[in-house]
Amino acid sequence: MQPDSQKSLSLPLVSVIIPAYNAEPFIEETLKSVLAQTYPAIEVLVVDDGSQDRTPEIVEKIGKKDSRVQLLKQQNSGVAVARNLGIEKSRGEFIAPIDADDIWYPENIEKQVQCMLEGREEVGVVYSWTVDLDEKGLLTGGFRSFRIEGDVYATLICHNFIGNASASMIRRSCLEKVGVYDKTLKERNAQGCEDWDLYLRIAELYQFRAVPEFSIGYRRMYNTMSTNYTTMANSQSLMLQAAKQRHPEIPDFLHRLSTSNFLLYLANQSSRNGRDRTALFWLFQALKTECISPLFRSGFYRVLGKSLFNLLSQSWKHQDAPVIIENTPSSENQPIGREVLVEIRRKKIELMVTIGNIFHRSISFLVKRNQANIDTLPQANISATPPTKAELS
């Protein structure tokens, strides 16, 4: 269905960028969710990253019915190059990335544009809350609901509270200042944190705002790039090294905390994927990096217990021994909607928002105090210019 062209002309154009590689199972559902947005002024650029399945055919078929959809093609070069090509060819005032297996709920773009306009030029990124989906597109019960706003750089160093690239909208003028996605991470065998790296560079100069509504459906997939844990660990390490060079005023313990948190995430992902030895390896690496905070995380003990139990069961060769599985709602047995999820998890959602805000304020206070201590020392050149768009693209 085509939008009202007169109404669209009066609104800021949003460029939706979809990198797609062998996305045949999900690209049609993703595009339908994008085209069903209540905000009419959008263009949709799908960048086929050398797919070997029917991805381009599906996109072309949809594009014939809806002129807002454009197909771009490139040789397989990775998600950063694909997103950068889409951005280069786009015309919108705002850039809205979405992965080819995720979905948006209908009012996502409308609410994000409203948040951008209310925040004016000092706001560079807005993000919405996320619910997790399984391969069938059903809710698993997982979600992400932080409301961390304003100057978020130090907090963003510690963890990527946005959670995924599909949840954000970016002001184009920001990219003209800080550059686009870093394609060199793939060249250094370090894919996985391209969006986090870009958010950090934007956060150096701009504020962030949250849309406190569950508008993103993030598909939890395994046997994908997200399960190449060493590559992701390399990506996070290189990202932090670059950030530390640009901002040495950030205390070292925040970098250690960031790495420890990320390694715990890798351990959890490994566990969910049934890779118990790998999960234990990442737990050990998290403790080596920062030995205190993991011990206060319930997830640490959950993954540790599950992995040890499964490995011991295998070593005892008890064929009928039970295997611990992740304790999350089964989407097959308990199909639930977003509204029901919000009701069921309301207290947990409120707790996540509260803890996130307390953490954000605490980290901001510590960094400001550390900066004040540095300012009392003899002046030194402690800043570096972020990489330019030409260097990254």
Side-chain angles (χ1 to χ4, degrees), residues 32 38 57 73 143 154-155 199 220 254 258 270 335 364 388:
K32 284 181 178 179
T38 56
E57 298 172 34
K73 294 183 179 181
F143 63 90
T155 305
Y199 296 150
R220 288 286 181 180
L254 290 186
S258 175
S270 302
S364 298
T388 65

Side-chain angles (χ1 to χ4, degrees), residues 176-193:
E176 294 170 353
K177 285 190 176 182
V178 309
V180 285
Y181 294 97
D182 187 355
K183 70 175 184 178
T184 69
L185 289 175
K186 176 179 171 61
E187 297 167 0
R188 292 180 284 177
N189 192 32
Q191 274 188 284
C193 292

Side-chain angles (χ1 to χ4, degrees), residues 16-180:
V16 179
I17 310 297
I18 310 178
Y21 175 71
N22 289 346
E24 180 179 344
F26 306 111
I27 186 62
E28 184 173 358
E29 182 182 2
T30 297
L31 279 171
K32 284 181 178 179
S33 78
V34 171
L35 297 175
Q37 292 295 298
T38 56
Y39 188 84
I42 64 172
E43 62 172 359
V44 185
L45 293 88
V46 181
V47 183
D48 180 65
D49 189 29
S51 296
Q52 299 175 347
D53 61 5
R54 294 183 58 252
T55 296
E57 298 172 34
I58 295 170
V59 176
E60 286 176 338
K61 182 178 179 181
I62 295 174
K64 289 178 181 178
K65 298 178 181 179
D66 195 317
S67 60
R68 293 176 293 174
V69 178
Q70 306 173 44
L71 175 65
L72 305 173
K73 294 183 179 181
Q74 66 177 28
Q75 294 182 343
N76 182 248
S77 304
V79 65
V81 175
R83 287 177 182 157
N84 290 345
L85 176 60
I87 292 169
E88 178 186 345
K89 300 296 183 181
S90 68
R91 300 175 292 114
E93 180 179 346
F94 303 122
I95 305 296
I98 178 172
D99 288 340
D101 54 358
D102 294 338
I103 64 169
W104 287 336
Y105 294 101
E107 294 186 344
N108 179 56
I109 292 296
E110 181 179 352
K111 295 293 180 66
Q112 289 187 334
V113 170
Q114 181 182 356
C115 188
M116 273 286 196
L117 296 178
E118 290 174 353
R120 302 187 179 180
E121 294 294 327
E122 59 264 28
V123 174
V125 173
V126 301
Y127 63 96
S128 303
W129 290 355
T130 297
V131 292
D132 291 346
L133 308 177
D134 65 11
E135 293 189 17
K136 297 180 181 178
L138 301 176
L139 298 180
T140 68
F143 63 90
R144 182 172 289 262
S145 59
F146 291 106
R147 198 171 183 177
I148 297 171
E149 299 180 302
D151 180 1
V152 304
Y153 184 82
T155 305
L156 191 58
I157 281 283
C158 294
H159 70 129
N160 181 9
F161 52 82
I162 296 175
N164 61 84
S166 302
S168 63
M169 176 180 286
I170 304 168
R171 193 181 297 274
R172 176 184 288 277
S173 58
C174 298
L175 301 178
E176 294 170 353
K177 285 190 176 182
V178 309
V180 285

Side-chain angles (χ1 to χ4, degrees), residues 104-299:
W104 287 336
Y105 294 101
E107 294 186 344
N108 179 56
I109 292 296
E110 181 179 352
K111 295 293 180 66
Q112 289 187 334
V113 170
Q114 181 182 356
C115 188
M116 273 286 196
L117 296 178
E118 290 174 353
R120 302 187 179 180
E121 294 294 327
E122 59 264 28
V123 174
V125 173
V126 301
Y127 63 96
S128 303
W129 290 355
T130 297
V131 292
D132 291 346
L133 308 177
D134 65 11
E135 293 189 17
K136 297 180 181 178
L138 301 176
L139 298 180
T140 68
F143 63 90
R144 182 172 289 262
S145 59
F146 291 106
R147 198 171 183 177
I148 297 171
E149 299 180 302
D151 180 1
V152 304
Y153 184 82
T155 305
L156 191 58
I157 281 283
C158 294
H159 70 129
N160 181 9
F161 52 82
I162 296 175
N164 61 84
S166 302
S168 63
M169 176 180 286
I170 304 168
R171 193 181 297 274
R172 176 184 288 277
S173 58
C174 298
L175 301 178
E176 294 170 353
K177 285 190 176 182
V178 309
V180 285
Y181 294 97
D182 187 355
K183 70 175 184 178
T184 69
L185 289 175
K186 176 179 171 61
E187 297 167 0
R188 292 180 284 177
N189 192 32
Q191 274 188 284
C193 292
E194 288 86 349
D195 51 332
W196 192 358
D197 169 74
L198 179 59
Y199 296 150
L200 278 173
R201 285 184 275 122
I202 295 174
E204 294 178 12
L205 302 175
Y206 297 89
Q207 294 186 358
F208 283 40
R209 290 287 185 272
V211 177
E213 297 184 21
F214 290 103
S215 302
I216 315 297
Y218 177 68
R219 205 178 301 268
R220 288 286 181 180
M221 299 288 293
Y222 300 104
N223 300 317
T224 65
M225 185 188 75
S226 295
T227 60
N228 190 339
Y229 306 118
T230 301
T231 295
M232 295 185 71
N234 289 341
S235 187
Q236 200 255 1
S237 176
L238 290 174
M239 178 197 74
L240 284 185
Q241 288 176 27
K244 190 172 184 178
Q245 288 180 353
R246 295 196 301 271
H247 291 277
E249 76 276 10
I250 301 295
D252 285 342
F253 83 88
L254 290 186
H255 292 93
R256 294 195 302 272
L257 180 62
S258 175
T259 299
S260 180
N261 285 337
F262 191 71
L263 295 177
L264 285 176
Y265 164 78
L266 296 183
N268 185 56
Q269 293 298 100
S270 302
S271 177
R272 289 185 174 186
N273 206 23
R275 298 165 65 174
D276 297 306
R277 293 184 184 278
T278 304
L280 291 176
F281 170 79
W282 292 119
L283 286 180
F284 177 70
Q285 294 302 315
L287 280 174
K288 277 182 60 179
T289 302
E290 204 279 303
C291 64
I292 298 177
S293 64
L295 301 179
F296 290 91
R297 303 280 292 274
S298 61

